[in-house]
Amino acid sequence: MSSQLAREKRRNAVIALRTLGPVLLDALRKFDPRYLWHNPVLLLTEVGAALTTVIAILDSIAGTEQPSGGTQMPFGFTWALAAGFWACLFTATLAESIAEGHGRQQTESLRRSNATETACRVAGYSRSKDPAVRRTAVERVDSRVLRPGDVVVVEAGETIPSDGEVLWGAAEVDESEITGRPGAVIREAGGDRTAVMGGSRGLSDRLVVRISASRDASAAARTIRLASKSRRKKSPIEVAFSTLLASFSISFVLLVLTLNSVVSPVAEPVSVPVLVALVVCLIPTEIAALMSVTGIAGMSQLLQRGVLVTSAKSLETAGDITTVLLDKTGTVTRGSRSAIAFVPVGGTDLEQLMRAAALASIGDPTPEGASTVRLAEEEGVRILAGDAAGGRTVHFSAATRISGIDLPDGTSIRKGAVSAVVAWLKQQGTQPQRQIILDLKASTKRIAQTGGTPLVVAVKPVSGIGHALGLIHLQDVVKDSVPKKISALHALGVRTVMVTGDHRLTAKAIAAEAGIDEYVGDSTPEDKLALIQREQEEGHIVAMSGDGINDAPALAQADIGIAMNTATAAAKSSANMVILDDDPTHLVDIIKVGRRQMATRGALMTFNFANDAVRYFTLFPALFVGTFPGLDALNILRLHSPASAILSTVIFSSLVMGILIPLALIGVPYRTENLRSALTRNLIYCGLSGLLVPIIGIKLIDLVVSLLPGY
């Protein structure tokens, strides 16, 4: 228990002591103007610090200190300001370095798991002749040379070299290094658990895996790159804020550059170091430094929960989600639909239906196909290898929604959705009898009302007319964690819609069991795409969760596309978030982290603007109080002297950013039961603290600075 608590403490720490040195060095490396060029506010701070340092050197040579606004500044004042400016810049770059270091801490184990290893590559794999690779030659190769399509053998205790699909075997696999979820999972061929991740480790048995991605494109490699700032693009909001802050800063610079010319008829000029202090303290340096930190922190928090975010924009959008579209199979349900019964129609003999259903499924490796063959055999119908020899397997297509087999004698057998099989019979020149259609609809309705999925089996002899034989009753179950998380989505004010290609009555039963608001059945990929477009036209921000090839267009169209890690390559490439442990309940985490990021940014901005209001009153009276003593009435904090007021404000600007770093990384407390009251509460809390913290902080610093000679 103590070791577990220690690990949790390390996870929640802002920065680990062992990484402190590299983080500090990284913060110093960020002083490079070529790096700061992308953050004009910080670049402006560096220019001001460098200019003040040069002036301090010249003053030291001259042995005098420049007066400012009619006030003689104490010796060493310019050096003190220069040090304060550099400290302010260092704190700003340190914030980003800590955020990136926090992400790198999470990926240390991934780097180890993704280290170069060898793999047993199969030379000329044949799934029909030697599926278990007992006789086929294998060669030991560097895992970096593996390419999509290569087949490898993974024995117990070996590391899976890259992402792939299990072609043969079943084994326990440890994926905790990638997903963060402890414990082993089962990965096996022929089901919905065929996907394996590079860097995970086989714990038992033997697997034959077809590689689907090179090492550089694997989930582990993408997660590692996530910790690298060089790979992270700024989100649109960050870009917009950077532009706004740059414009705001330029306005301040123009104001400062013209200040002396405006007051020259009545007052002594303000020194350049003091003008720089005015710019550095009043431009929104904290926001410029911490805006990207909140984005990195949000992506890091989701990575801790097993969600890989590949787009910073999607995380920002997550906070605005109003509608979540869920694919049924594999997302809401377990996805392993199994045949539990055969239902003949039109007087068809049960054995004839079972035999036709088994023949249509003999080339179908899915759980539906395998369970259909198994159930038929359990009922006494044996399918011999020669029965389908020479036949042509017709694989399932999202467009046709049917599969089956064309036997050597010319007989065609198909199974699929009612509408799809009826359409196929019409294409074969057969119009099913009205009574058969009615029987199919009645049986389909009964199956669907129980949450099952009906598949119609039809046959077209070479010289006779085609006809429907009956139905296969498939049953799927809702994942245990889904109903609770659907309720959590409702508590967040998010509407849920389930879309599926299954019959609408099946969709209705599953939606009712899971607590989903709405459902759409009999959906094609085009229907899903059209549904998302309609939702977006109505002003909704749509998140789509799916895992199949037929979900790829909808995932690409949605504002946020979320794919399971066991999803097809097409679905993953279309999505901008991947749930590494295949748990759809992380949708709640995604929305909560997105909203917390928004709340944190709002809190930082409110706090910063309130800080600026106080700093105005500490800086502006000090500018010309030597010429106009009456300005001392504006010294509401009763700071000791103009030099002390200016230096104390500069020091506070450096310290307050360090105080805000943990807030930016962890986020502000955020409750969603009443968004309006939550917003008002945050504005009040952040606004009041933004006023009180600088008042107390600057005054305390002034008490210390006033003890220095000349201040």
Side-chain angles (χ1 to χ4, degrees), residues 195-448:
V196 291
M197 287 185 283
S200 57
R201 189 165 56 92
L203 300 178
S204 67
D205 303 292
R206 171 190 175 104
L207 294 176
V208 177
V209 177
R210 180 169 55 210
I211 300 300
S212 60
S214 64
R215 279 169 49 86
D216 291 338
S218 67
R222 285 182 293 162
T223 306
I224 291 170
R225 287 197 296 270
L226 186 64
S228 173
K229 173 66 179 176
S230 61
R231 299 278 183 155
R232 178 184 174 272
K233 294 182 179 179
K234 284 187 175 183
S235 66
I237 289 182
E238 288 181 46
V239 173
F241 263 110
S242 297
T243 305
L244 177 63
L245 297 180
S247 303
F248 190 62
S249 301
I250 291 172
S251 301
F252 247 107
V253 171
L254 294 176
L255 173 65
V256 166
L257 291 177
T258 57
L259 181 62
N260 280 334
S261 61
V262 172
V263 302
S264 58
V266 294
E268 295 294 325
V270 178
S271 67
V272 172
V274 173
L275 291 176
V276 173
L278 191 65
V279 172
V280 170
C281 292
L282 296 182
I283 60 176
T285 311
E286 292 93 333
I287 300 177
L290 299 176
M291 184 64 67
S292 62
V293 172
T294 59
I296 298 172
M299 297 170 79
S300 178
Q301 289 166 14
L302 282 179
L303 187 57
Q304 279 186 344
R305 293 164 171 81
V307 180
L308 178 66
V309 182
T310 60
S311 164
K313 178 183 177 181
S314 63
L315 181 55
E316 290 179 344
T317 307
D320 296 323
I321 289 175
T322 58
T323 302
V324 171
L325 269 60
L326 302 163
D327 180 52
K328 181 182 80 69
T329 306
T331 302
V332 176
T333 63
R334 297 187 186 278
S336 299
R337 295 183 298 187
S338 299
I340 63 172
F342 297 100
V343 183
V345 296
T348 301
D349 179 68
L350 177 59
E351 184 174 346
Q352 181 187 5
L353 168 61
M354 292 191 294
R355 183 173 184 80
L359 284 170
S361 304
I362 200 167
D364 183 357
T366 65
E368 292 94 327
S371 66
T372 298
V373 175
R374 184 171 58 250
L375 181 61
E377 291 178 345
E378 290 174 356
E379 295 295 331
V381 176
R382 286 190 57 80
I383 303 298
L384 302 177
D387 292 343
R392 184 180 70 88
T393 300
V394 178
H395 295 287
F396 176 82
S397 164
T400 62
R401 296 165 61 204
I402 58 175
S403 61
I405 190 170
D406 291 331
L407 297 175
D409 64 0
T411 301
S412 296
I413 306 174
R414 296 291 186 271
K415 61 183 175 69
V418 176
S419 57
V421 173
V422 169
W424 175 77
L425 286 172
K426 289 180 179 179
Q427 289 176 356
Q428 305 306 309
T430 301
Q431 175 64 47
Q433 296 178 1
R434 185 172 182 274
Q435 187 58 47
I436 296 296
I437 296 294
L438 292 176
D439 288 349
L440 285 175
K441 288 183 177 180
S443 299
T444 295
K445 185 175 181 180
R446 285 194 298 271
I447 293 172

Side-chain angles (χ1 to χ4, degrees), residues 425-496:
L425 286 172
K426 289 180 179 179
Q427 289 176 356
Q428 305 306 309
T430 301
Q431 175 64 47
Q433 296 178 1
R434 185 172 182 274
Q435 187 58 47
I436 296 296
I437 296 294
L438 292 176
D439 288 349
L440 285 175
K441 288 183 177 180
S443 299
T444 295
K445 185 175 181 180
R446 285 194 298 271
I447 293 172
Q449 284 175 336
T450 66
T453 300
L455 292 183
V456 178
V457 179
V459 62
K460 170 63 171 67
V462 64
S463 59
I465 61 172
H467 57 281
L469 300 176
L471 300 101
I472 307 171
H473 183 173
L474 302 175
Q475 192 69 41
D476 198 358
V477 294
V478 174
K479 292 182 177 179
D480 297 336
S481 58
V482 167
K484 182 178 178 180
K485 292 302 182 179
I486 293 296
S487 298
L489 286 173
H490 292 159
L492 293 171
V494 177
R495 177 169 139 265
T496 54

Side-chain angles (χ1 to χ4, degrees), residues 550-581:
N550 60 325
D551 295 321
L555 289 169
Q557 175 65 36
D559 297 288
I560 299 180
I562 304 167
M564 302 297 125
N565 195 48
T566 52
T568 61
K572 284 184 181 179
S573 63
S574 300
N576 39 39
M577 291 189 185
V578 178
I579 297 179
L580 297 175
D581 59 4

